[in-house]
């Protein structure tokens, strides 16, 4: 039995980041990894010199701290790559994000017209209580466009009908922009990338490690080991022993069949919540166990084909919406980085299949899956079967936590129970059952490490509605801390956020109609009274014949002392109306402007919804 | 309330304050330059006999007339009156907002 201060289960981005952050502060840990490679879903597999990802991982984060970490771990290994992607549907390739003329040409004028009608219908007959993904997308794009460009692909990825997928899932990926964000984006839209270059949008270009994201995690493991921590691979944790609200130790089996046990003071788990709950010894209450049983995961399988052709297509990846083939997406790794292939005259393609582990295809042999891949790739006209020179298959279990209609309740039940442990934290994509990107998972690792060292962070708040507040808090609280040495790659938006927000707040502040009405009313009433009084005091044969013309507007007004008092009140009321109306119109115009700004921002965000699946 | 309307209401969370001095300057410039321009326009258009109605301002602005020298006098009076109106509106507005937010 070995004793360590912290035991981290899982050497994916969250677990390794937690260990790295602890190591930076002089705390060693042991990271237990079930597979023979670190990086989790962000690993890069090397097959005879051909490198490929488990999905594509673009490196872009709104969290300055994560940009810092990437830079810190991987140094100058990042390439800035152009992004090209298309959708294959109904024997046509459509640019993605969709471009109106290109889509029109592919769909034809009649279909485009019908899509337009469907969009208008969605705007007028909005579904108010959006519960499902189908309702969420239809409300924003119209049912017809949803049916063509979102339904089939989403169902391929998630394996369940769109009307069973929670609307939360889409809402989490496409958050409603706050006004401040939208104005900030409009005014200071350009973001600064890791190398200080200006990125106009993640849609156009992105950063990517020269040899794939796995390089980052291999480096991270080396750094952790140089800090005195260790990573043990091939250990599958199967039991987590606890008593009186504290975890005592974890145990599992090594690849050689040896039983291993690790105890420590702090435990961090990135295991899928379902497995974590099942591993607890003693088992949790029945309701927690049942909640864990209810959680579902989508599995992922990639068939890699080595093609004897220098260039197969120009895209980084293709979305395959056509229902006649099973594959959901095709990655062209060479276009992510030319260093991903050992032979420039060849191309490696990753054909991505999204499955349940109970699906028949999941159990197919490698040869049979390669055959399927070749057949489907040829079917959509990308390759000739004879061009395929080699191939392999990689399976990734529980790649995607499923957001079905019951997951929220299940996760809440499990969370309530896990929070009773004083020395156990659960982080990462599967650890939180949240569809986090790599940066979100890393942030949960940073938080977990901070909590071990006495800070107070809520790991569950990452990638939620509260995200921006959390990001701001990290950025601010870390200033001067050695976690964030200097702002090498702070985004423009983050750097100027505080004064900028104040400016936006002042610029968009509401004018109080009542107050402006009173102010203008008082001044107007007194003005008429004084104008009349001056003329009355000056006297003369006919007093104020011209000013008396105001009687056309002010009932009963005349240049007399009585009339002056009438003018005071009536002028006051008229002034009040003018002031209040002016303030109301100004506020209304500002609100309309704010809505337009945010609508534009959200539209831009929705344009790349598929990227977020 | 859904998140959309919450966000739209972001602009109504803060009540604007008016800088009375700034509003006074703005109104002074508008009042002074406005009266100068109106006077000058009538003098240029119709000569020294013009502006019988505008001339009535002399009831309030001693020394004002629709002439070139009167235009400069009007500039000063217009600025003073405009400034006073702007300052008063700003101060009264802020006072009412403060009372309402207590």
């Amino acid at each position: 039995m070995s004793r360590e201060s912290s035991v981290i289960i899982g050497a994916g981005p969250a677990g390794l980041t937690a260990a790295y952050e602890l190591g930076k502060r002089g705390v060693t840990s042991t990271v237990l990894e079930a597979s023979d490679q670190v990086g989790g879903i962000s690993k890069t597999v090397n097959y005879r010199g051909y490198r490929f990802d488990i999905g594509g991982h673009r490196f872009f984060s709104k969290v300055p701290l994560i940009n810092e970490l990437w830079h810190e771990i991987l140094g100058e290994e990042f390439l800035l790559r152009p992004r090209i992607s298309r959708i294959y549907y109904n024997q046509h390739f459509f640019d993605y994000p969709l471009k109106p003329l290109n889509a029109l040409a592919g769909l034809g004028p009649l279909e485009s017209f019908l899509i337009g009608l469907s969009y208008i219908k969605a705007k007028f007959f909005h579904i108010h209580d959006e519960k499902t993904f189908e309702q969420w997308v239809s409300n924003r794009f119209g049912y017809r466009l949803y049916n063509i460009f979102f339904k089939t692909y989403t169902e391929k990825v998630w394996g369940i009908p769109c009307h069973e997928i929670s609307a939360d899932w889409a809402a989490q990926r496409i958050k409603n922009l706050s006004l401040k964000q939208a104005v900030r984006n409009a005014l200071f839209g350009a973001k600064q990338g890791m190398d200080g270059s200006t990125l106009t949008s993640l849609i156009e270009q992105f950063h990517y490690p020269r040899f794939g994201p796995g390089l980052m995690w291999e480096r991270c493991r080396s750094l952790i080991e140089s800090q005195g921590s260790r990573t043990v691979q091939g250990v599958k944790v199967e039991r987590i022993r606890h008593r009186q609200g504290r975890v005592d130790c974890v145990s599992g089996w090594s690849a050689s069949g040896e039983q291993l046990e690790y105890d420590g003071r702090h435990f961090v788990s990135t295991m899928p919540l379902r497995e974590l709950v099942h591993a607890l010894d003693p088992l949790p209450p029945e309701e927690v166990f049942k909640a864990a049983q209810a959680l579902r995961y989508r599995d992922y399988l990639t068939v890699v084909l080595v093609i004897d052709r220098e260039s197969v297509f120009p895209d980084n990846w293709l979305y395959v919406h056509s229902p006649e083939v099973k594959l959901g997406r095709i990655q062209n790794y060479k276009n992510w980085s030319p260093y991903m292939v050992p032979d420039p005259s060849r191309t490696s393609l990753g054909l991505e299949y999204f499955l349940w582990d109970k699906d028949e295809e999941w159990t197919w042999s490698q040869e049979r899956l390669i055959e399927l891949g070749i057949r489907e790739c040829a079917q959509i006209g990308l390759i000739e079967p004879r061009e395929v020179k080699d191939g392999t298959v990689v399976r990734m279990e529980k790649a995607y936590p499923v957001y079905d209609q019951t997951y929220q309740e299940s996760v809440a039940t499990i969370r309530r129970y896990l929070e009773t442990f004083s020395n156990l934290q659960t982080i990462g994509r599967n650890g939180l059952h949240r569809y986090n990107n790599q940066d979100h998972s890393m942030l949960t690792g940073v938080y977990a490490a901070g909590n071990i060292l006495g800070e107070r962070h809520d790991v569950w708040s990452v990638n939620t509605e509260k995200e921006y507040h959390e990001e701001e808090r990290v950025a601010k609280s870390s200033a001067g801390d050695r976690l964030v040495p200097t702002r090498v790659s702070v985004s423009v938006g983050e750097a100027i956020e505080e004064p900028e927000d104040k400016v936006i707040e002042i610029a968009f502040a509401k004018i109080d109609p009542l107050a402006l009405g009173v102010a203008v009313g008082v001044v107007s009433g007194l003005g008429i009274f004084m104008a009349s009084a001056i003329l009355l005091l000056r006297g003369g044969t006919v007093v104020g014949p011209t000013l008396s013309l105001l009687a056309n507007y002010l009932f009963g007004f005349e240049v007399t002392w009585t009339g002056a008092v009438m003018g005071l009140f009536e002028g006051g009321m008229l002034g009040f109306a003018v002031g209040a109306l002016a303030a109301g119109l100004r506020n209304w115009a500002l609100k309309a402007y704010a809505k337009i700004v945010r609508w534009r921002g959200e539209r831009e965000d929705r344009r790349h919804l598929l990227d977020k699946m | 309330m859904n998140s959309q309307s919450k966000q739209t209401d972001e602009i109504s969370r803060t009540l604007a304050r008016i800088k009375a001095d700034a509003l006074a300057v703005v109104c002074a410039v508008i009042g002074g330059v406005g009266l100068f321009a109106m006077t000058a326009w009538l003098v240029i258009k119709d000569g020294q006999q013009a502006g019988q109605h505008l001339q009535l301002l002399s009831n309030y602005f001693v020394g004002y007339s629709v002439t070139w020298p009167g235009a400069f006098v009007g500039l000063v009076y217009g600025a003073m009156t405009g400034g006073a109106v702007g300052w008063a509106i700003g101060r009264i507005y802020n006072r009412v907002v403060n009372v309402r937010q207590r």
Side-chain angles (χ1 to χ4, degrees):
Chain A
M1 182 185 285
S2 62
R3 179 167 184 85
E4 304 289 342
S5 64
S6 298
V7 176
I8 297 167
I9 306 167
L16 288 176
T17 303
Y20 179 60
E21 287 297 313
L22 285 171
K24 284 203 295 189
R25 300 204 200 175
V27 178
T28 57
S29 50
T30 297
V31 184
L32 306 175
E33 169 57 39
S35 74
D36 58 358
Q37 195 174 353
V38 297
I41 200 172
S42 297
K43 70 183 177 185
T44 300
V45 180
N46 188 335
Y47 173 72
R48 294 178 181 166
Y50 291 91
R51 295 167 194 271
F52 52 94
D53 295 356
I54 308 302
H57 296 274
R58 286 176 288 164
F59 280 67
F60 181 87
S61 181
K62 289 183 283 184
V63 189
L65 182 60
I66 301 303
N67 279 317
E68 282 292 336
L69 275 174
W70 284 339
H71 197 78
E72 195 175 301
I73 295 169
L74 214 47
E76 303 303 317
E77 291 284 354
F78 284 103
L79 306 174
L80 184 61
R81 302 295 297 163
R83 173 251 170 89
I84 307 172
S85 60
R86 284 177 296 169
I87 291 170
Y88 178 80
Y89 175 75
N90 201 18
Q91 299 176 332
H92 282 94
F93 286 98
F94 296 89
D95 290 339
Y96 190 79
L98 295 173
K99 291 175 184 159
L101 286 179
N102 175 269
L104 184 71
L107 293 165
L110 178 63
E111 187 60 50
S112 302
F113 176 70
L114 292 173
I115 285 170
L117 285 183
S118 160
Y119 178 79
I120 291 166
K121 186 185 165 198
K123 293 292 131 188
F124 282 100
F125 301 98
H126 202 78
I127 302 162
H128 289 288
D129 186 18
E130 294 169 344
K131 285 202 170 99
T132 67
F133 177 78
E134 180 173 295
Q135 291 169 337
W136 195 95
V137 181
S138 299
N139 265 349
R140 283 152 186 82
F141 295 94
Y143 182 83
R144 211 168 178 97
L145 199 67
Y146 148 77
N147 202 35
I148 293 173
F149 287 118
F150 296 97
K151 187 174 188 294
T152 49
Y153 180 72
T154 308
E155 290 182 352
K156 275 185 188 180
V157 173
W158 293 98
I160 43 180
C162 286
H163 62 262
E164 285 182 23
I165 298 175
S166 165
D168 288 355
W169 177 77
Q172 187 193 324
R173 310 304 280 183
I174 309 286
K175 294 179 184 70
N176 289 324
L177 286 175
S178 73
L179 173 69
K180 280 180 198 164
Q181 281 168 256
V183 173
R184 203 183 298 130
N185 291 350
L187 296 176
F188 310 96
K191 295 272 179 189
Q192 226 169 359
M194 280 176 293
D195 59 354
S197 64
T198 300
L199 296 180
T200 49
S201 162
L202 187 61
I203 294 172
E204 294 161 11
Q205 51 190 2
F206 56 86
H207 280 106
Y208 188 74
R210 189 184 304 271
F211 293 106
L215 180 64
M216 158 111 41
W217 302 113
E218 295 293 342
R219 286 266 174 90
C220 190
R221 182 184 55 180
S222 303
L223 288 170
I224 289 166
E225 284 170 358
S226 69
Q227 289 167 339
S229 297
R230 61 186 182 135
T231 308
V232 186
Q233 289 168 211
V235 178
K236 185 166 171 53
V237 172
E238 290 186 341
R239 184 174 293 187
I240 299 170
R241 282 219 302 266
H242 63 95
R243 60 180 167 168
Q244 293 172 337
R246 285 185 67 81
V247 173
D248 289 331
C249 70
V250 299
S251 62
W253 299 89
S254 71
S256 59
E258 184 190 357
Q259 186 170 18
L260 301 168
E261 204 166 88
Y262 298 85
D263 65 355
R265 283 191 289 141
H266 301 280
F267 294 83
V268 177
S269 166
T270 68
M271 290 167 76
L273 278 181
R274 194 169 72 191
E275 287 183 8
L276 172 69
V277 168
H278 287 182
L280 288 170
D281 181 14
L283 282 171
E286 184 69 12
E287 57 162 13
V288 178
F289 194 80
K290 278 187 178 164
Q293 289 278 66
L295 293 179
R296 291 197 289 169
Y297 301 88
R298 190 72 168 150
D299 304 297
Y300 166 99
L301 178 155
T302 187
V303 176
V304 177
L305 301 180
V306 176
I307 315 293
D308 191 17
R309 204 196 305 175
E310 191 176 341
S311 175
V312 177
F313 53 83
D315 311 67
N316 307 99
W317 67 91
L318 294 173
Y319 294 109
V320 184
H321 286 29
S322 294
E324 60 269 18
V325 292
K326 285 187 166 69
L327 69 91
R329 199 169 52 185
I330 306 174
Q331 301 286 349
N332 189 338
Y333 302 113
K334 193 179 178 181
N335 290 344
W336 283 79
S337 164
Y339 299 93
M340 298 289 273
V341 294
D343 179 355
S345 69
R346 289 185 168 183
T347 301
S348 65
L349 300 181
L351 281 50
E352 300 179 329
Y353 292 88
F354 307 96
L355 302 164
W356 301 112
D357 57 6
K358 60 180 185 296
D359 284 342
E360 189 195 345
E361 292 87 345
W362 185 254
T363 59
W364 281 7
S365 68
Q366 177 165 304
E367 290 70 27
R368 195 170 172 193
L369 286 166
I370 290 172
E371 260 177 46
L372 172 74
I374 294 171
R375 190 172 64 246
E376 292 199 333
C377 231
Q379 193 178 338
I380 61 176
L382 289 177
I383 59 163
E384 292 290 332
R386 58 181 165 74
E387 292 179 296
V388 178
K389 298 301 172 195
D390 201 352
T392 188
V393 173
V394 172
R395 292 173 172 85
M396 176 61 72
E397 283 181 38
K398 298 186 177 62
Y400 303 98
V402 172
Y403 280 20
D404 56 21
Q405 299 284 14
T406 60
Y407 90 96
Q408 275 186 317
E409 205 179 316
S410 302
V411 171
T413 303
I414 297 165
R415 180 183 171 180
R416 274 195 300 277
Y417 176 71
L418 292 179
E419 282 175 345
T420 62
F421 290 92
S422 59
N423 67 340
L424 172 66
Q425 297 183 78
T426 178
I427 58 170
R429 176 184 277 208
N430 279 339
L432 299 172
H433 200 83
R434 188 167 291 155
Y435 192 27
N436 287 334
N437 288 328
Q438 183 177 228
D439 60 336
H440 294 127
S441 290
M442 290 175 70
L443 192 59
T444 63
V446 173
Y447 280 10
N451 289 340
I452 288 171
L453 296 166
E455 295 168 10
R456 290 173 64 86
H457 299 288
D458 179 8
V459 293
W460 292 89
S461 69
V462 176
N463 196 16
T464 62
E465 289 291 326
K466 288 192 285 181
E467 177 183 23
Y468 277 89
H469 306 300
E470 291 297 328
E471 285 167 9
E472 283 170 18
R473 195 158 64 84
V474 168
K476 284 171 196 163
S477 67
S478 303
D481 194 307
R482 71 190 178 108
L483 276 176
V484 190
T486 50
R487 282 188 188 272
V488 174
S489 59
V490 178
S491 71
V492 174
E494 296 289 348
I496 57 177
E497 197 158 86
E498 208 175 334
E500 184 192 295
D501 280 356
K502 279 183 187 156
V503 170
I504 293 169
E505 219 163 82
I506 292 167
F508 282 84
K510 187 173 125 180
I511 296 270
D512 185 356
L514 180 80
L516 193 64
V518 168
V520 176
V522 167
V523 171
S524 307
L526 283 177
I528 291 173
F529 180 82
M530 283 168 66
S532 306
I534 288 169
L535 294 181
L536 287 167
L537 291 173
R538 286 172 68 99
T541 48
V542 182
V543 180
T546 310
L547 191 62
S548 297
L549 295 173
L550 273 179
N552 287 313
Y553 307 103
L554 304 178
F555 177 75
F557 176 75
E558 55 187 5
V559 185
T560 62
W561 285 108
T562 313
V565 174
M566 295 276 287
L568 173 71
F569 286 110
E570 289 190 45
M573 284 194 291
L574 194 65
F576 178 85
V578 169
L581 186 67
L585 284 174
R586 182 264 185 196
N587 291 342
W588 180 83
L590 209 61
K591 205 165 181 172
Y593 173 71
K595 277 190 173 177
I596 291 168
V597 167
R598 194 177 47 246
W599 175 77
R600 280 186 187 152
E602 287 177 0
R603 184 188 58 181
E604 191 56 33
D605 219 13
R606 284 198 298 269
R607 278 187 72 215
H608 49 283
L609 176 61
L610 282 181
D611 292 349
K612 294 164 185 277
M613 289 183 187
Chain B
M1 187 186 281
N2 63 29
S3 59
Q4 276 278 352
S5 57
K6 265 186 211 160
Q7 288 163 4
T8 308
D9 286 349
E10 257 182 75
I11 61 165
S12 40
R13 277 185 212 148
T14 316
L15 279 182
R17 293 291 194 285
I18 291 176
K19 288 191 187 302
D21 295 346
L23 188 63
V25 170
V26 170
C27 292
V29 170
I30 291 170
V33 173
L35 187 52
F36 178 86
M38 284 192 291
T39 310
W41 174 246
L42 291 180
V43 172
I44 292 165
K45 194 163 72 88
D46 297 330
Q48 297 295 322
Q49 301 307 313
Q52 289 173 7
H53 289 104
L54 201 59
Q55 183 71 44
L56 293 173
L57 279 178
S58 62
N59 284 313
Y60 308 107
F61 302 153
V62 178
Y64 173 74
S65 60
V66 185
T67 60
W68 280 114
F72 287 97
V73 174
L75 175 72
V76 176
Y77 276 120
M80 284 166 53
T81 310
V85 166
W87 185 83
I89 288 176
R91 290 301 295 258
I92 296 168
Y93 171 86
N94 289 342
R95 184 66 64 87
V96 176
V97 168
N98 288 342
V99 169
R100 273 161 59 73
Q101 286 199 325
R102 255 180 221 161

